[in-house]
C-alpha cells in the first residue's frame, strides 16, 4: 500500500515562498506519477501541478504557472512543490497524489490512486 506524507505547510505573507514535500513509501517511487492538488474551504479540489515518473515532463494549473515549480528526487523517494509569489488566494489544504497506472489526465483527480492527508498553506495579505 502506497503511503504519501506531505510536509512544509504553514503561514506565509503574501509575496513569500514556501516549499512542500511529499514522502512516498510502499511502491517503487520511480514508478509513480506525482501530482499536487489543493482545496480551499467551500471549493472543489483544484489541480496544481504534476510530474512524470522520470521528471522529464511537468504540468501546471493555469493559476500557478510561472510561480510554482514541481520536482522529484527518485533516489530519495520524495517530491516537492516550490511555491513563490504566494497570494492569499493560494490559501488551501495542499495534497500530494500518486498514480501507479500507465496513463491518465494529469489534472483529473481520477488519475490518481493514492492521496496524502494534506498540509495547510495559509497566505496572509
Amino acid at each position: 500500500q502506497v503511503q504519501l506524507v506531505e510536509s512544509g505547510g504553514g503561514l506565509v505573507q503574501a509575496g513569500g515562498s514556501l516549499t512542500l514535500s511529499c514522502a512516498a513509501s510502499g511502491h517503487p517511487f520511480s514508478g509513480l506519477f506525482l501530482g499536487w492538488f489543493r482545496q480551499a474551504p467551500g471549493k472543489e479540489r483544484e489541480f496544481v501541478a504534476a510530474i512524470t515518473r522520470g521528471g522529464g515532463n511537468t504540468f501546471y494549473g493555469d493559476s500557478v504557472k510561472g510561480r510554482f515549480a514541481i520536482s522529484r528526487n527518485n533516489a530519495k523517494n520524495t517530491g516537492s512543490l516550490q511555491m513563490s509569489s504566494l497570494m492569499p488566494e493560494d490559501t488551501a489544504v495542499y495534497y500530494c497524489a500518486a498514480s501507479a497506472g500507465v496513463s491518465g489526465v494529469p489534472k483529473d483527480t481520477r488519475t490518481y490512486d493514492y492521496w496524502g492527508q494534506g498540509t495547510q498553506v495559509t497566505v496572509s495579505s
Side-chain angles (χ1 to χ4, degrees):
Q1 182 72 6
V2 176
Q3 287 191 319
L4 303 173
V5 179
E6 303 96 335
S7 61
L11 174 65
V12 63
Q13 288 188 330
S17 301
L18 208 58
T19 298
L20 304 182
S21 295
C22 175
S25 61
H27 190 283
F29 189 71
S30 59
L32 296 174
F33 182 89
L34 291 183
W36 286 93
F37 289 76
R38 66 187 183 186
Q39 189 165 19
K43 294 188 176 181
E44 292 188 352
R45 193 162 293 193
E46 178 190 12
F47 170 70
V48 175
I51 188 167
T52 52
R53 290 165 177 77
N57 289 297
T58 57
F59 311 86
Y60 294 95
D62 289 340
S63 61
V64 306
K65 279 181 183 176
R67 299 188 299 122
F68 290 13
I70 189 172
S71 62
R72 65 190 295 160
N73 186 327
N74 286 347
K76 294 185 177 181
N77 294 349
T78 58
S80 296
L81 182 69
Q82 293 178 287
M83 307 183 293
S84 59
S85 301
L86 284 162
M87 303 182 292
E89 46 265 50
D90 293 317
T91 295
V93 176
Y94 282 70
Y95 296 92
C96 176
S99 170
V102 296
S103 64
V105 178
K107 66 179 181 180
D108 191 339
T109 58
R110 295 171 296 179
T111 294
Y112 301 89
D113 308 301
Y114 310 102
W115 294 82
Q117 82 288 350
T119 186
Q120 177 70 45
V121 172
T122 303
V123 183
S124 63
S125 57

